[in-house]
Amino acid sequence: MSDQDSISARISADCPPDTQRMLTAAWAHDVEGVKKLLDAPGKASCQDPQTGETPLHAAIRACGPPSEDDTPEDLEAARKTVYELLLWGAIWNDVDNHNETPGCVAQRLARPELYSLCVEAGVRAEMLFGLMDGYEELGSDADEEDEEMANGADVEEDGEEAPQLVSVEGNGQNGTTGDEEAAEEEPTFQPPSVDDADVKSEAYLRSKLTYSDGKLVDEAGNGVMMAWETEIMRQSVDALLPDKQPGKRILNVGFGMGIIDTMFAETKPAVHHIIEAHPEVLEHVSGPDSKFGASWEASGPEQGAFKIHQGKWQDVCIELLEGGQVYDAIYFDTFGENYSQLRKFFTDFIPGLLDSEGRFGFFNGLGADRQICYDVYTKVSEMHLADAGLDVDWKDVDVDMKELAEAGKGEWEGVKRRYWTLDTYRLPICTFLG
Ligand SMILES: C[S@@+](CC[C@H](N)C(=O)[O-])C[C@H]1O[C@@H](n2cnc3c(N)ncnc32)[C@H](O)[C@@H]1O
């Protein structure tokens, strides 16, 4: 076990005794001891104030990497401890001072069984948040710092700062003065700070955009679309139109840099509709250098066959439905919207707009700055797609990370936030069930 993963490094001298007891019992995989200590709400997710270690981190970290000393009994005790903690409300995605969730530790230590328990807990939590309408922002949408993804599931890799000791704010109630209360307060862990990239759809749609070589960036410096995604767009087109037959009816939501629309146009569709809401993107599309201006619209096989629908898809799709439009291929890739909007598109529009033999795809950047969040969102979206009557096949696409490895460098130069950190893109190909 590396020094940074040792018990002495993880349970600090300042750790309050209750928390220390819980962390030690979790570290020892003392299931009975853990159960006894779980006597009040919040106990399962207590944190060392300096290291941010939670009982889940401790139970997983204590396993270390696989070794020949491992026994089935040890592993079973670890599994039971993690299971028990999750049962008692341990938070699956609290980060520690190294910006790792318990699942990140399990992945780093090559403990797939424990990793799976964390993923399953994440799926349960996110499905519940879904019922309560509390999703994070989409992965490609520059913001994943919603509280619901809880405390830095989307922390920038480079945004790590030394955690500070902070005190819980007292309000002087219960007959104590603020000072007395302060004296009794315990320090709490402050997770590594995150760069606040909270993009909201309305603000984004009003913001100034810059098209530059290989990227489209909003006024806060968020990457709206980047050229490194071209291969993903290429493979998405290949998946949606496998035979590249001409004469297909295509809908693309979100023009961005027009990368996917250029590829769609090359397949010589019968209908090619694009929905775009941002005024500056629309200005760019109608500009003299655009391939999708008035002459493109006029070049369609019939009037309205090639068309940029100006406005938000939430409004335009209602008109398309009312007009009885049906498509063979639909692609969805917007910016600044949260997962609830993608889910709305699945459930409210795909059933009416997609031909019964058609294919639907979307940019799958959900939680893409952290493997466990990506894995959780793969499952969550799969369940919601099934709710909408859709089956999904995931195709793994290698992402060349050479120029994407470091925030602020390579492809990320001039871009506020590294929204993609993974070697493999999971490309969704959705068709109707049955
Ligand atoms: C990531 S880009 C799309 C990139 C595109 N796939 C490509 O290949 O270049 C997202 C686009 O969706 C647009 N958008 C964001 N919210 C939208 C909404 N509610 N309705 C329509 N378009 C929207 C943005 O203005 C932006 O042009």
Side-chain angles (χ1 to χ4, degrees), residues 140-141 201 204-205 209 211 216 224-225 229 233 252-261 275-278 281 311-314 331 333-337:
S140 77
D141 298 344
S201 177
Y204 160 70
L205 292 173
L209 302 183
Y211 280 95
L216 170 61
V224 177
M225 181 64 185
E229 296 173 47
M233 297 297 130
N252 178 43
V253 181
F255 180 80
M257 292 168 67
I259 297 173
I260 203 163
D261 282 304
I275 305 178
E276 174 55 52
H278 199 294
V281 176
K312 292 170 69 168
W313 61 265
Q314 289 87 342
Y331 191 68
D333 179 12
T334 66
F335 180 84
E337 298 189 307

Side-chain angles (χ1 to χ4, degrees), residues 149 211 231 243 339 364:
M149 274 306 261
Y211 280 95
E231 180 55 19
D243 304 326
Y339 176 69
N364 182 20

Side-chain angles (χ1 to χ4, degrees), residues 409-429:
K409 304 222 169 107
E411 295 278 352
W412 302 116
E413 208 178 312
V415 176
K416 187 173 173 185
R417 181 171 177 277
R418 184 173 167 243
Y419 58 80
W420 185 273
T421 62
L422 312 173
D423 293 328
T424 306
Y425 175 82
R426 229 172 254 144
L427 186 151
I429 311 159

Side-chain angles (χ1 to χ4, degrees), residues 23-319:
L23 294 178
T24 310
W27 193 287
H29 302 149
D30 172 5
V31 186
E32 291 313 313
V34 165
K35 277 188 191 168
K36 273 200 207 107
L37 293 168
L38 288 168
D39 56 2
K43 284 275 180 86
S45 46
C46 61
Q47 273 188 297
D48 181 291
Q50 287 215 4
T51 67
E53 192 80 349
T54 67
L56 269 185
H57 285 95
I60 294 169
R61 201 186 307 274
C63 296
S67 94
E68 53 195 28
D69 299 336
D70 286 349
T71 66
E73 293 75 30
D74 291 343
L75 294 180
E76 183 55 14
R79 200 195 60 76
K80 276 195 178 145
T81 308
V82 168
Y83 181 84
E84 197 62 32
L85 288 164
L86 290 170
L87 203 66
W88 282 85
I91 296 173
W92 71 281
N93 60 352
D94 267 339
V95 290
D96 65 11
N97 59 336
H98 294 132
N99 192 20
E100 285 188 313
T101 68
C104 300
V105 177
Q107 186 195 18
R108 177 167 59 77
L109 296 176
R111 296 291 181 182
E113 222 191 318
L114 303 181
Y115 182 77
S116 296
L117 287 176
C118 296
V119 171
E120 283 159 21
V123 172
R124 284 193 299 275
E126 295 306 298
M127 292 302 284
L128 257 174
F129 281 128
L131 291 175
M132 300 184 310
D133 243 4
Y135 291 109
E136 59 148 357
E137 299 283 323
L138 296 187
S140 77
D141 298 344
D143 169 45
E144 294 168 289
E145 286 146 21
D146 200 41
E147 289 299 311
E148 282 81 6
M149 274 306 261
N151 300 335
D154 309 301
V155 169
E156 273 195 328
E157 297 286 301
D158 67 334
E160 215 170 297
E161 279 179 11
Q164 305 150 5
L165 286 175
V166 294
S167 292
V168 179
E169 267 178 19
N171 60 7
Q173 285 175 357
N174 305 328
T176 63
T177 67
D179 287 346
E180 284 159 355
E181 221 171 57
E184 288 162 17
E185 285 161 8
E186 284 183 347
T188 57
F189 176 65
Q190 184 78 340
S193 73
V194 295
D195 183 6
D196 184 8
D198 189 14
V199 180
K200 293 281 175 275
S201 177
E202 290 308 320
Y204 160 70
L205 292 173
R206 283 193 307 268
S207 80
K208 289 207 75 55
L209 302 183
T210 310
Y211 280 95
S212 60
D213 202 22
K215 44 179 107 67
L216 170 61
V217 178
D218 74 4
E219 76 191 25
N222 296 302
V224 177
M225 181 64 185
M226 298 179 70
W228 69 264
E229 296 173 47
T230 301
E231 180 55 19
I232 291 172
M233 297 297 130
R234 159 64 50 217
Q235 299 226 21
S236 300
V237 172
D238 291 350
L240 294 179
L241 300 168
D243 304 326
K244 300 281 180 344
Q245 278 172 335
K248 294 293 182 189
R249 298 159 297 173
I250 297 169
L251 172 65
N252 178 43
V253 181
F255 180 80
M257 292 168 67
I259 297 173
I260 203 163
D261 282 304
T262 301
M263 296 171 183
F264 279 142
E266 283 162 3
T267 69
K268 307 212 176 326
V271 172
H272 185 172
H273 288 172
I274 300 168
I275 305 178
E276 174 55 52
H278 199 294
E280 288 192 28
V281 176
L282 290 167
E283 201 179 304
H284 174 86
V285 177
S286 60
D289 300 333
S290 166
K291 293 181 229 159
F292 294 94
S295 53
W296 170 76
E297 290 198 336
S299 71
E302 53 189 63
Q303 214 196 345
F306 290 2
K307 188 169 167 60
I308 307 269
H309 292 273
Q310 306 194 0
K312 292 170 69 168
W313 61 265
Q314 289 87 342
D315 303 323
V316 174
C317 286
I318 294 173
E319 290 166 24

